[in-house]
Amino acid sequence: MKSLNRGKVEAQKLLHLCGLDDVIDLELDFFVAGLITVGLDVLLIEEEMANCDGKIIFGEKKSIIKVNSKIQFGQRKRFVVAHEIGHLLMHRNFELPEDTFANFNVIEGMENTLRNGKQELEANEFASELLMPENLFLKEAMEKKFTPSLIKELSEKFRTSLTATVYRYLQHSQLHPICIVFIENGRVKYWKKSEDLKVWMSDYNKLPPPSDSVAMEYLQKDYDFIYTLEEKAQTISKSTWFKLNQYDEDSDFYEYCIPTKRYRTILSIIWED
């Protein structure tokens, strides 16, 4: 997809210009300050913002990236900053809305659900490539069994949120096939699966998740954490989320949920061993 390629290529170009393979060990405020050496004069400011996680203000000579100081997790702030750098490089001549939580969750094929969806998709892909370079990500994830522990390990390695790490994992067809379902305010907003996961999703768009799903357990517990890391991969039936045709037998799948109480969202990851 053209927009995805653009974000990825621009991130790779920037790393090359800066003489870096990755930014894993760099604090992004130092990285942003150093962009002046490649002709980008940018000021990074953290301040309290209402209903907004990040924004960019373009200036003729200097631009300003603002990040909401109320964001609790450093991994999330890093993604917001990287996302805004993507806007800086690719979208100077566009009128962009303020970035909110929903903007950072858009995935390929879902860009039409947002205003300026294409630009948000490009900025997200830029941020993913900047923070989790493809070659390094694949090196860390390849030939490893998919588990919640693997996502946690990758998240810690790249200093990214669990959610951003899962989205990055889904982008790579070389890795274990998974399906993700994004649930907001108790309703399924969208889903996407790896091409190699040969299943047919039941129609849950705009509906609550299935009554026997792990996602429903989290809704019933008001988004509180239910399981320890070792227990987060809960066994479910294939028929919980997927349609069975006349030749299918029901079988065991696994479901792992990442709830975010502040935003009343759940990211559900479903896979088969």
Side-chain angles (χ1 to χ4, degrees):
M1 186 173 180
K2 186 177 180 180
S3 59
L4 284 177
N5 288 337
R6 185 183 181 197
K8 174 181 174 180
V9 168
E10 290 297 330
Q12 291 172 343
K13 283 181 181 178
L14 183 60
L15 286 172
H16 179 73
L17 280 173
C18 295
L20 297 169
D21 293 323
D22 59 72
V23 295
I24 293 172
D25 295 324
L26 279 178
E27 300 304 324
L28 286 196
D29 53 348
F30 293 116
F31 179 70
V32 170
L35 291 177
I36 188 69
T37 63
V38 294
L40 297 171
D41 194 356
V42 194
L43 178 64
L44 176 62
I45 297 173
E46 280 196 38
E47 66 179 27
E48 190 170 316
M49 296 188 286
N51 303 315
C52 176
D53 285 340
K55 66 187 297 184
I56 185 162
I57 301 169
F58 294 107
E60 289 187 13
K61 294 183 178 180
K62 181 188 287 288
S63 297
I64 299 172
I65 290 174
K66 290 188 176 183
V67 179
N68 193 343
S69 59
K70 293 193 295 183
I71 297 175
Q72 294 179 327
F73 302 106
Q75 302 99 317
R76 181 163 182 76
K77 285 184 179 179
R78 284 175 67 84
F79 198 91
V80 173
V81 173
H83 178 99
E84 301 305 334
I85 296 172
H87 281 320
L88 174 70
L89 290 174
M90 297 183 288
H91 305 134
R92 176 171 287 275
N93 297 319
F94 290 87
E95 182 180 348
L96 300 171
E98 295 180 342
D99 283 313
T100 63
F101 178 79
N103 295 69
F104 304 114
N105 286 335
V106 66
I107 57 175
E108 182 182 356
M110 298 297 129
E111 63 271 22
N112 291 331
T113 66
L114 297 176
R115 180 187 172 198
N116 298 85
K118 180 181 177 181
Q119 287 74 51
E120 297 308 324
L121 184 65
E122 289 176 340
N124 281 344
E125 182 59 20
F126 176 93
S128 291
E129 182 66 24
L130 184 69
L131 300 177
M132 298 173 277
E134 181 176 59
N135 290 340
L136 185 53
F137 191 89
L138 285 173
K139 180 181 176 182
E140 295 293 327
M142 191 75 80
E143 298 182 358
K144 293 182 180 178
K145 182 178 180 180
F146 182 84
T147 63
S149 294
L150 175 60
I151 294 301
K152 184 174 185 291
E153 289 169 13
L154 293 170
S155 170
E156 291 174 348
K157 166 73 177 180
F158 293 100
R159 301 173 66 188
T160 50
S161 69
L162 295 173
T163 298
T165 305
V166 169
Y167 285 152
R168 188 59 163 158
Y169 190 99
L170 178 67
Q171 289 177 329
H172 297 301
S173 59
Q174 305 96 314
L175 301 179
H176 192 95
I178 62 173
C179 177
I180 66 169
V181 183
F182 184 72
I183 301 156
E184 186 175 51
N185 294 319
R187 297 289 186 271
V188 173
K189 190 171 183 180
Y190 59 75
W191 63 271
K192 189 171 180 65
K193 71 178 184 69
S194 307
E195 288 185 8
D196 287 342
L197 187 62
K198 305 303 182 184
V199 293
W200 291 266
M201 179 63 118
S202 298
D203 187 9
Y204 283 106
N205 281 343
K206 300 181 181 180
L207 297 175
S211 60
D212 55 342
S213 67
V214 180
M216 180 57 77
E217 289 186 61
Y218 279 95
L219 285 177
Q220 292 170 343
K221 295 293 184 179
D222 195 30
Y223 304 89
D224 287 333
F225 287 100
I226 303 171
Y227 300 108
T228 64
L229 184 63
E230 293 76 17
E231 298 173 331
K232 285 188 175 181
Q234 288 288 302
T235 304
I236 60 170
S237 297
K238 180 179 181 179
S239 59
T240 296
W241 282 102
F242 306 118
K243 296 177 182 177
L244 301 180
N245 64 37
Q246 59 180 326
Y247 303 107
D248 274 344
E249 291 186 8
D250 218 351
S251 57
D252 285 346
F253 271 61
Y254 295 91
E255 184 176 0
Y256 156 46
C257 290
I258 303 170
T260 308
K261 191 165 189 173
R262 177 183 174 188
Y263 299 103
R264 304 194 70 76
T265 64
I266 297 169
L267 184 67
S268 184
I269 305 101
I270 305 137
W271 73 100
E272 184 179 28
D273 269 353

